[in-house]
Coordinates of all heavy atoms in Angstrom, one line a residue:
M1 N 113.1 104.1 105.9 CA 111.8 104.2 106.4 C 111.7 104.2 107.9 O 111.0 104.9 108.5 CB 111.0 103.0 105.8 CG 109.6 102.9 106.2 SD 108.8 101.6 105.3 CE 107.1 101.8 105.9
Y2 N 112.5 103.3 108.5 CA 112.5 103.2 110.0 C 113.9 103.7 110.4 O 114.9 103.7 109.6 CB 112.3 101.8 110.4 CG 110.9 101.2 110.2 CD1 110.7 100.3 109.1 CD2 109.9 101.6 110.9 CE1 109.4 99.9 108.9 CE2 108.6 101.2 110.7 CZ 108.4 100.3 109.7 OH 107.1 99.8 109.5
G3 N 114.0 104.0 111.7 CA 115.3 104.4 112.2 C 116.1 103.2 112.6 O 116.5 102.4 111.8
V4 N 116.4 103.1 113.9 CA 117.2 102.0 114.5 C 116.4 100.7 114.2 O 115.2 100.6 114.4 CB 117.4 102.3 116.0 CG1 118.2 101.1 116.6 CG2 118.1 103.6 116.2
S5 N 117.2 99.7 113.9 CA 116.6 98.4 113.7 C 117.0 97.4 114.9 O 117.9 97.7 115.6 CB 117.0 97.8 112.4 OG 118.4 97.6 112.3
E6 N 116.2 96.4 115.0 CA 116.4 95.4 116.0 C 116.5 94.0 115.3 O 116.0 93.9 114.2 CB 115.2 95.4 117.0 CG 114.9 96.7 117.7 CD 115.5 96.7 119.1 OE1 115.8 95.6 119.6 OE2 115.7 97.8 119.7
V7 N 117.0 93.1 116.0 CA 117.1 91.7 115.5 C 115.8 90.9 116.0 O 115.5 91.0 117.2 CB 118.3 91.0 116.0 CG1 118.3 89.5 115.6 CG2 119.6 91.7 115.5
L8 N 115.2 90.2 115.1 CA 114.1 89.3 115.4 C 114.5 87.9 114.9 O 114.9 87.7 113.7 CB 112.9 89.8 114.6 CG 111.6 88.9 114.7 CD1 111.1 88.8 116.2 CD2 110.5 89.3 113.8
S9 N 114.6 87.0 115.8 CA 115.1 85.7 115.4 C 113.9 84.7 115.5 O 113.2 84.7 116.5 CB 116.2 85.3 116.4 OG 116.7 84.1 116.1
I10 N 113.8 83.8 114.5 CA 112.7 82.8 114.6 C 113.3 81.5 114.2 O 114.3 81.4 113.5 CB 111.6 83.1 113.6 CG1 112.0 83.2 112.2 CG2 110.9 84.4 114.0 CD1 110.9 83.3 111.1
R11 N 112.7 80.4 114.6 CA 113.1 79.1 114.2 C 112.2 78.6 113.1 O 111.0 78.8 113.1 CB 113.0 78.1 115.4 CG 114.0 78.3 116.4 CD 113.9 77.2 117.5 NE 114.9 77.4 118.5 CZ 116.2 76.9 118.3 NH1 116.5 76.2 117.3 NH2 117.1 77.1 119.3
V12 N 112.8 78.0 112.0 CA 112.0 77.5 110.9 C 112.5 76.0 110.7 O 113.6 75.6 111.1 CB 112.2 78.3 109.6 CG1 111.7 79.7 109.8 CG2 113.7 78.3 109.2
P13 N 111.6 75.2 110.1 CA 112.0 73.8 109.9 C 113.3 73.8 109.0 O 113.5 74.6 108.1 CB 110.8 73.2 109.1 CG 109.7 74.1 109.5 CD 110.2 75.5 109.8
R14 N 114.1 72.8 109.2 CA 115.4 72.7 108.5 C 115.2 72.7 107.0 O 115.9 73.3 106.3 CB 116.1 71.4 109.0 CG 117.5 71.3 108.3 CD 118.3 70.1 108.9 NE 118.8 70.6 110.2 CZ 118.8 69.9 111.3 NH1 118.4 68.6 111.3 NH2 119.3 70.3 112.5
E15 N 114.2 71.9 106.6 CA 114.0 71.8 105.1 C 113.6 73.2 104.5 O 114.1 73.5 103.4 CB 112.9 70.8 104.8 CG 112.6 70.6 103.4 CD 113.9 70.1 102.6 OE1 114.7 69.3 103.1 OE2 114.0 70.5 101.4
L16 N 112.8 73.9 105.2 CA 112.5 75.3 104.7 C 113.7 76.2 104.7 O 113.9 76.9 103.7 CB 111.4 75.9 105.6 CG 111.0 77.3 105.3 CD1 110.5 77.5 103.9 CD2 110.0 77.9 106.3
K17 N 114.5 76.1 105.7 CA 115.8 76.9 105.6 C 116.6 76.6 104.4 O 117.2 77.4 103.8 CB 116.6 76.7 106.9 CG 117.8 77.6 107.0 CD 118.1 78.1 108.4 CE 119.2 79.1 108.4 NZ 120.5 78.7 108.0
K18 N 116.7 75.3 104.1 CA 117.5 74.9 103.0 C 116.9 75.5 101.7 O 117.6 75.9 100.8 CB 117.6 73.4 102.9 CG 118.4 72.7 103.9 CD 118.4 71.2 103.7 CE 119.2 70.5 104.8 NZ 119.1 69.0 104.7
R19 N 115.6 75.4 101.6 CA 115.0 76.0 100.4 C 115.1 77.5 100.3 O 115.3 78.1 99.2 CB 113.5 75.6 100.4 CG 113.3 74.1 100.3 CD 111.8 73.7 100.5 NE 110.9 74.3 99.6 CZ 109.6 74.4 99.7 NH1 109.1 73.9 100.8 NH2 108.9 74.9 98.8
L20 N 115.1 78.2 101.5 CA 115.3 79.6 101.5 C 116.8 79.9 101.0 O 117.0 80.8 100.2 CB 115.1 80.2 102.9 CG 113.7 80.2 103.4 CD1 113.7 80.5 104.9 CD2 112.9 81.3 102.7
E21 N 117.7 79.2 101.5 CA 119.1 79.4 101.2 C 119.3 79.1 99.7 O 120.1 79.8 99.0 CB 120.0 78.5 102.0 CG 120.1 79.0 103.4 CD 120.9 78.0 104.3 OE1 121.2 76.9 103.9 OE2 121.1 78.4 105.5
A22 N 118.6 78.2 99.1 CA 118.8 77.9 97.7 C 118.3 79.0 96.8 O 118.8 79.2 95.7 CB 118.0 76.6 97.3
L23 N 117.5 79.9 97.4 CA 116.9 81.0 96.6 C 117.5 82.4 97.0 O 117.1 83.4 96.5 CB 115.4 81.1 96.7 CG 114.7 79.9 96.1 CD1 113.2 79.9 96.6 CD2 114.8 80.0 94.6
K24 N 118.6 82.4 97.9 CA 119.1 83.6 98.4 C 119.6 84.5 97.3 O 119.6 85.8 97.6 CB 120.1 83.3 99.5 CG 121.4 82.8 99.0 CD 122.3 82.5 100.2 CE 123.6 81.9 99.8 NZ 124.5 81.5 100.9
D25 N 120.1 84.0 96.2 CA 120.6 84.9 95.1 C 119.4 85.5 94.3 O 119.6 86.4 93.5 CB 121.5 84.1 94.2 CG 122.8 83.7 94.9 OD1 123.2 84.4 95.9 OD2 123.4 82.7 94.5
T26 N 118.2 84.9 94.5 CA 117.1 85.4 93.7 C 116.1 86.3 94.5 O 115.5 87.2 94.0 CB 116.3 84.1 93.3 OG1 117.1 83.2 92.6 CG2 115.1 84.5 92.4
V27 N 116.0 86.0 95.8 CA 115.1 86.7 96.7 C 115.8 87.4 97.8 O 116.7 86.8 98.5 CB 114.0 85.7 97.2 CG1 113.0 86.4 98.1 CG2 113.4 84.9 96.1
D28 N 115.4 88.6 98.1 CA 115.9 89.4 99.3 C 114.9 89.0 100.4 O 113.9 89.7 100.6 CB 115.9 90.9 99.0 CG 116.4 91.7 100.2 OD1 116.7 91.1 101.2 OD2 116.4 92.9 100.0
W29 N 115.2 87.9 101.1 CA 114.3 87.4 102.2 C 114.1 88.5 103.3 O 112.9 88.6 103.8 CB 114.8 86.1 102.7 CG 114.7 85.0 101.8 CD1 115.8 84.3 101.2 CD2 113.5 84.5 101.2 NE1 115.3 83.4 100.3 CE2 113.9 83.5 100.3 CE3 112.2 84.8 101.3 CZ2 113.0 82.7 99.5 CZ3 111.3 84.1 100.6 CH2 111.7 83.1 99.7
R30 N 115.1 89.2 103.6 CA 114.9 90.2 104.7 C 113.8 91.2 104.3 O 112.9 91.5 105.0 CB 116.2 91.0 105.0 CG 116.0 91.9 106.1 CD 117.2 92.9 106.2 NE 116.9 94.0 107.1 CZ 116.1 95.0 106.8 NH1 115.4 95.1 105.7 NH2 115.8 95.9 107.7
S31 N 113.9 91.7 103.1 CA 112.9 92.7 102.6 C 111.5 92.1 102.5 O 110.5 92.7 102.9 CB 113.3 93.3 101.2 OG 114.5 94.0 101.4
E32 N 111.5 90.8 102.0 CA 110.2 90.1 101.9 C 109.5 89.9 103.2 O 108.3 90.2 103.4 CB 110.4 88.8 101.2 CG 110.8 88.8 99.8 CD 109.6 89.1 98.9 OE1 108.5 88.7 99.2 OE2 109.8 89.8 97.9
I33 N 110.3 89.5 104.2 CA 109.8 89.3 105.5 C 109.3 90.5 106.2 O 108.3 90.6 106.8 CB 110.8 88.5 106.4 CG1 111.0 87.1 105.8 CG2 110.4 88.4 107.9 CD1 112.2 86.3 106.3
V34 N 110.1 91.6 106.1 CA 109.8 92.9 106.7 C 108.5 93.4 106.1 O 107.6 93.9 106.8 CB 110.9 93.9 106.6 CG1 110.5 95.3 106.9 CG2 112.1 93.5 107.4
R35 N 108.4 93.3 104.8 CA 107.1 93.8 104.1 C 105.9 93.0 104.6 O 104.9 93.5 104.8 CB 107.3 93.7 102.6 CG 106.2 94.3 101.8 CD 106.5 94.3 100.3 NE 107.8 93.6 100.2 CZ 108.7 93.8 99.3 NH1 108.5 94.5 98.3 NH2 109.9 93.2 99.2
F36 N 106.1 91.7 104.7 CA 105.0 90.8 105.1 C 104.6 91.2 106.5 O 103.4 91.3 106.8 CB 105.4 89.3 105.1 CG 104.5 88.4 105.8 CD1 103.3 88.0 105.1 CD2 104.7 88.0 107.1 CE1 102.4 87.2 105.8 CE2 103.8 87.1 107.7 CZ 102.6 86.8 107.0
L37 N 105.6 91.4 107.4 CA 105.3 91.7 108.8 C 104.6 93.1 108.9 O 103.6 93.3 109.7 CB 106.5 91.7 109.7 CG 107.2 90.3 109.9 CD1 108.5 90.5 110.6 CD2 106.2 89.5 110.7
E38 N 105.0 94.1 108.1 CA 104.3 95.4 108.1 C 102.9 95.2 107.7 O 102.0 95.8 108.3 CB 105.1 96.3 107.1 CG 106.4 96.8 107.6 CD 107.2 97.6 106.5 OE1 106.9 97.4 105.3 OE2 108.1 98.3 106.9
E39 N 102.6 94.5 106.6 CA 101.2 94.3 106.2 C 100.4 93.6 107.2 O 99.2 94.0 107.5 CB 101.2 93.5 104.9 CG 101.8 94.2 103.7 CD 101.9 93.3 102.5 OE1 101.6 92.1 102.5 OE2 102.5 93.8 101.5
R40 N 100.9 92.6 107.9 CA 100.2 91.9 108.9 C 99.9 92.7 110.1 O 98.8 92.7 110.7 CB 100.9 90.6 109.3 CG 101.0 89.6 108.2 CD 99.7 89.3 107.5 NE 98.9 88.4 108.4 CZ 97.6 88.0 108.2 NH1 97.0 88.4 107.1 NH2 97.0 87.3 109.1
V41 N 100.9 93.5 110.5 CA 100.7 94.4 111.7 C 99.6 95.5 111.4 O 98.7 95.7 112.2 CB 102.1 95.1 112.0 CG1 101.8 96.3 113.0 CG2 103.0 94.1 112.7
E42 N 99.7 96.0 110.2 CA 98.6 97.0 109.8 C 97.2 96.3 109.8 O 96.3 96.9 110.3 CB 98.9 97.6 108.4 CG 100.1 98.5 108.4 CD 100.4 99.0 107.0 OE1 99.6 98.8 106.0 OE2 101.5 99.6 106.8
Y43 N 97.1 95.1 109.3 CA 95.9 94.4 109.3 C 95.3 94.2 110.7 O 94.2 94.5 111.0 CB 96.1 93.0 108.6 CG 94.9 92.1 108.8 CD1 93.8 92.2 108.0 CD2 94.9 91.1 109.7 CE1 92.7 91.4 108.1 CE2 93.8 90.3 109.9 CZ 92.7 90.4 109.1 OH 91.6 89.6 109.3
Y44 N 96.2 93.7 111.6 CA 95.8 93.4 113.0 C 95.5 94.7 113.8 O 94.7 94.7 114.7 CB 96.7 92.5 113.7 CG 96.6 91.1 113.2 CD1 97.6 90.5 112.4 CD2 95.4 90.3 113.5 CE1 97.4 89.1 112.0 CE2 95.3 89.0 113.1 CZ 96.2 88.5 112.3 OH 96.1 87.2 111.9
E45 N 96.2 95.8 113.4 CA 95.9 97.1 114.1 C 94.5 97.5 113.7 O 93.8 98.0 114.5 CB 97.0 98.1 113.7 CG 98.3 97.9 114.4 CD 99.4 98.9 113.9 OE1 99.3 99.4 112.8 OE2 100.4 99.0 114.6
R46 N 94.2 97.4 112.4 CA 92.8 97.8 111.9 C 91.8 96.9 112.6 O 90.7 97.4 113.0 CB 92.7 97.7 110.4 CG 93.5 98.8 109.7 CD 93.1 98.9 108.2 NE 93.5 97.7 107.5 CZ 94.6 97.4 106.9 NH1 95.6 98.3 106.9 NH2 94.8 96.2 106.3
L47 N 92.1 95.6 112.6 CA 91.1 94.7 113.2 C 90.9 95.0 114.7 O 89.8 95.0 115.2 CB 91.7 93.2 113.1 CG 90.7 92.1 113.5 CD1 89.5 92.1 112.6 CD2 91.5 90.8 113.4
K48 N 91.9 95.3 115.4 CA 91.8 95.7 116.8 C 91.0 97.0 117.0 O 90.2 97.1 117.9 CB 93.2 95.9 117.4 CG 93.2 96.3 118.9 CD 94.6 96.5 119.4 CE 94.6 97.0 120.8 NZ 95.9 97.5 121.3
A49 N 91.2 98.0 116.1 CA 90.5 99.2 116.2 C 89.0 99.0 115.9 O 88.1 99.5 116.6 CB 91.0 100.2 115.2
I50 N 88.7 98.1 115.0 CA 87.3 97.8 114.7 C 86.6 97.1 115.9 O 85.5 97.5 116.3 CB 87.2 96.9 113.4 CG1 87.5 97.7 112.2 CG2 85.8 96.3 113.3 CD1 87.7 96.8 110.9
R51 N 87.3 96.2 116.5 CA 86.8 95.5 117.7 C 86.6 96.5 118.8 O 85.6 96.4 119.6 CB 87.7 94.4 118.1 CG 87.6 93.2 117.1 CD 88.5 92.1 117.6 NE 88.3 90.9 116.7 CZ 89.2 90.0 116.5 NH1 90.4 90.0 117.2 NH2 89.0 89.0 115.6
E52 N 87.5 97.4 119.0 CA 87.3 98.4 120.1 C 86.1 99.3 119.8 O 85.4 99.6 120.7 CB 88.6 99.3 120.2 CG 89.8 98.5 120.8 CD 91.1 99.2 120.8 OE1 91.2 100.3 120.2 OE2 92.1 98.7 121.3
I53 N 85.9 99.7 118.5 CA 84.8 100.5 118.2 C 83.5 99.8 118.4 O 82.5 100.3 118.9 CB 84.9 101.0 116.7 CG1 86.0 102.1 116.6 CG2 83.6 101.6 116.2 CD1 86.5 102.4 115.2
E54 N 83.5 98.5 118.0 CA 82.3 97.7 118.2 C 82.0 97.5 119.7 O 80.8 97.6 120.1 CB 82.5 96.3 117.6 CG 82.4 96.3 116.1 CD 82.7 94.9 115.5 OE1 83.4 94.1 116.2 OE2 82.4 94.7 114.3
E55 N 83.0 97.4 120.5 CA 82.8 97.3 121.9 C 82.2 98.6 122.5 O 81.3 98.6 123.3 CB 84.1 96.9 122.6 CG 83.9 96.5 124.1 CD 83.1 95.3 124.3 OE1 83.1 94.3 123.4 OE2 82.3 95.2 125.3
M56 N 82.7 99.7 122.0 CA 82.2 101.0 122.5 C 80.7 101.2 122.1 O 79.9 101.7 122.8 CB 83.1 102.2 122.0 CG 84.4 102.3 122.6 SD 85.4 103.7 122.1 CE 84.9 104.1 120.5
M57 N 80.4 100.7 120.9 CA 79.1 100.9 120.4 C 78.1 100.1 121.2 O 76.9 100.4 121.3 CB 79.0 100.6 118.9 CG 79.7 101.6 118.0 SD 79.8 101.1 116.3 CE 78.0 101.3 115.9
K58 N 78.5 98.9 121.7 CA 77.6 98.1 122.5 C 77.1 98.9 123.7 O 76.0 98.6 124.2 CB 78.3 96.9 123.0 CG 78.5 95.8 121.9 CD 79.3 94.6 122.5 CE 79.6 93.6 121.5 NZ 80.4 92.5 122.0
N59 N 77.9 99.8 124.2 CA 77.5 100.6 125.4 C 76.6 101.8 125.1 O 76.2 102.5 126.1 CB 78.8 101.1 126.2 CG 79.6 99.9 126.6 OD1 79.1 98.9 127.0 ND2 81.0 100.1 126.6
H60 N 76.4 102.1 123.9 CA 75.5 103.2 123.5 C 74.1 102.7 123.2 O 73.9 101.6 122.6 CB 76.1 103.9 122.3 CG 77.3 104.7 122.6 ND1 77.3 105.9 123.1 CD2 78.6 104.4 122.5 CE1 78.5 106.4 123.3 NE2 79.3 105.4 122.9
P61 N 73.1 103.5 123.7 CA 71.7 103.0 123.4 C 71.4 103.1 121.9 O 72.0 103.9 121.2 CB 70.9 104.0 124.2 CG 71.7 105.2 124.3 CD 73.1 104.7 124.4
E62 N 70.5 102.2 121.5 CA 70.1 102.2 120.1 C 69.1 103.3 119.9 O 68.2 103.4 120.7 CB 69.6 100.8 119.7 CG 69.3 100.7 118.2 CD 69.0 99.2 117.9 OE1 69.6 98.3 118.4 OE2 68.1 99.1 117.1
L63 N 69.2 104.1 118.8 CA 68.3 105.1 118.5 C 67.1 104.6 117.8 O 67.3 103.7 117.0 CB 68.9 106.3 117.7 CG 70.1 107.0 118.4 CD1 70.8 108.0 117.5 CD2 69.6 107.7 119.7
P64 N 65.9 105.2 118.0 CA 64.7 104.7 117.2 C 64.9 104.9 115.7 O 65.5 105.9 115.3 CB 63.6 105.5 117.8 CG 64.2 106.5 118.7 CD 65.6 106.2 118.9
R65 N 64.3 104.1 114.9 CA 64.3 104.2 113.5 C 63.8 105.6 113.1 O 62.7 106.0 113.6 CB 63.5 103.1 112.9 CG 63.6 103.1 111.4 CD 63.0 101.7 110.9 NE 63.0 101.7 109.4 CZ 64.1 101.3 108.7 NH1 65.2 100.9 109.4 NH2 64.1 101.2 107.4
G66 N 64.5 106.3 112.2 CA 64.0 107.6 111.7 C 64.5 108.7 112.5 O 64.2 109.9 112.2
F67 N 65.2 108.5 113.6 CA 65.6 109.6 114.5 C 66.5 110.6 113.8 O 66.3 111.8 114.0 CB 66.4 109.0 115.7 CG 67.0 110.0 116.7 CD1 66.1 110.6 117.6 CD2 68.3 110.4 116.6 CE1 66.6 111.6 118.4 CE2 68.8 111.3 117.5 CZ 68.0 111.9 118.4
A68 N 67.5 110.1 113.1 CA 68.4 111.1 112.4 C 67.6 112.0 111.4 O 67.8 113.2 111.4 CB 69.5 110.3 111.7
A69 N 66.8 111.4 110.6 CA 66.0 112.2 109.6 C 65.1 113.2 110.3 O 65.1 114.4 109.9 CB 65.2 111.3 108.8
R70 N 64.4 112.8 111.4 CA 63.6 113.8 112.2 C 64.4 114.9 112.8 O 64.1 116.0 112.7 CB 62.8 113.0 113.3 CG 61.6 112.4 112.8 CD 60.7 112.0 114.0 NE 61.4 111.2 115.0 CZ 61.6 109.9 115.0 NH1 61.2 109.2 113.9 NH2 62.2 109.3 115.9
S71 N 65.6 114.5 113.3 CA 66.5 115.5 113.9 C 66.9 116.5 112.9 O 66.9 117.8 113.2 CB 67.7 114.9 114.6 OG 67.3 114.0 115.6
V72 N 67.3 116.1 111.7 CA 67.8 117.0 110.7 C 66.6 117.9 110.2 O 66.8 119.1 110.1 CB 68.4 116.2 109.5 CG1 68.6 117.1 108.3 CG2 69.7 115.5 109.9
R73 N 65.5 117.3 110.1 CA 64.3 118.1 109.6 C 63.9 119.1 110.7 O 63.7 120.3 110.3 CB 63.1 117.1 109.4 CG 62.0 117.7 108.6 CD 60.9 116.6 108.3 NE 61.4 115.5 107.5 CZ 61.5 114.3 108.0 NH1 61.0 114.0 109.2 NH2 62.0 113.3 107.3
E74 N 63.9 118.7 111.9 CA 63.6 119.7 113.0 C 64.6 120.8 113.1 O 64.2 122.0 113.2 CB 63.5 119.0 114.4 CG 62.4 118.1 114.5 CD 62.4 117.3 115.8 OE1 63.4 117.5 116.7 OE2 61.6 116.4 116.0
D75 N 65.9 120.5 112.9 CA 66.9 121.5 112.9 C 66.7 122.5 111.7 O 66.9 123.7 111.9 CB 68.3 120.9 112.9 CG 69.4 121.9 113.1 OD1 69.3 122.6 114.1 OD2 70.4 121.9 112.3
R76 N 66.5 121.9 110.6 CA 66.3 122.7 109.4 C 65.1 123.6 109.5 O 65.1 124.8 109.2 CB 66.1 121.8 108.2 CG 66.3 122.5 106.9 CD 66.3 121.5 105.7 NE 65.6 120.3 106.0 CZ 65.8 119.1 105.5 NH1 66.8 118.9 104.7 NH2 65.1 118.0 105.8
D77 N 64.0 123.1 110.1 CA 62.7 123.9 110.2 C 62.8 125.0 111.3 O 62.1 126.0 111.3 CB 61.6 123.0 110.6 CG 61.2 122.0 109.4 OD1 61.7 122.3 108.3 OD2 60.5 121.0 109.6
S78 N 63.8 124.8 112.3 CA 63.9 125.8 113.3 C 64.7 127.0 112.9 O 64.7 128.0 113.6 CB 64.5 125.1 114.6 OG 65.9 124.8 114.3
S79 N 65.3 127.0 111.8 CA 66.1 128.1 111.3 C 65.3 129.2 110.7 O 64.3 129.1 110.2 CB 67.1 127.7 110.2 OG 67.9 126.6 110.7

């Protein structure tokens, strides 16, 4: 899926590391962690995009109620 990989190192509590090691024959922790990180990155990228769009929308004037319907009607009637 990806090309070149990099090392990401994190510290975890000793007890958690022991529990992870106890399950290493059952769970592929690397795959689990990579999948989790991919999902979280996608979530935060979407969240960031939404916030940027909301910020851009604050700078645009609010249109009066019914403006879109009137505009479509006028365009249709002018044909």
Side-chain angles (χ1 to χ4, degrees):
M1 180 174 183
Y2 294 104
V4 177
S5 60
E6 300 262 341
V7 173
L8 175 64
S9 183
I10 61 168
R11 289 188 177 272
V12 296
R14 181 172 287 140
E15 183 58 34
L16 176 58
K17 182 144 190 299
K18 288 178 185 178
R19 293 169 64 196
L20 291 167
E21 288 173 352
L23 293 168
K24 70 181 177 185
D25 294 334
T26 307
V27 181
D28 179 358
W29 290 116
R30 183 196 170 284
S31 295
E32 291 283 326
I33 293 167
V34 168
R35 190 174 0 205
F36 171 78
L37 291 173
E38 287 171 341
E39 290 171 3
R40 297 305 287 175
V41 166
E42 288 174 13
Y43 170 80
Y44 284 109
E45 286 173 341
R46 287 192 301 270
L47 189 62
K48 181 181 176 191
I50 289 168
R51 288 182 177 156
E52 289 171 355
I53 291 168
E54 287 175 340
E55 192 61 35
M56 288 185 334
M57 290 177 67
K58 286 180 186 177
N59 298 326
H60 288 277
E62 191 171 316
L63 296 175
R65 186 168 181 83
F67 175 80
R70 277 194 309 278
S71 297
V72 169
R73 198 173 302 114
E74 288 173 8
D75 187 51
R76 197 174 24 211
D77 293 344
S78 69
S79 303

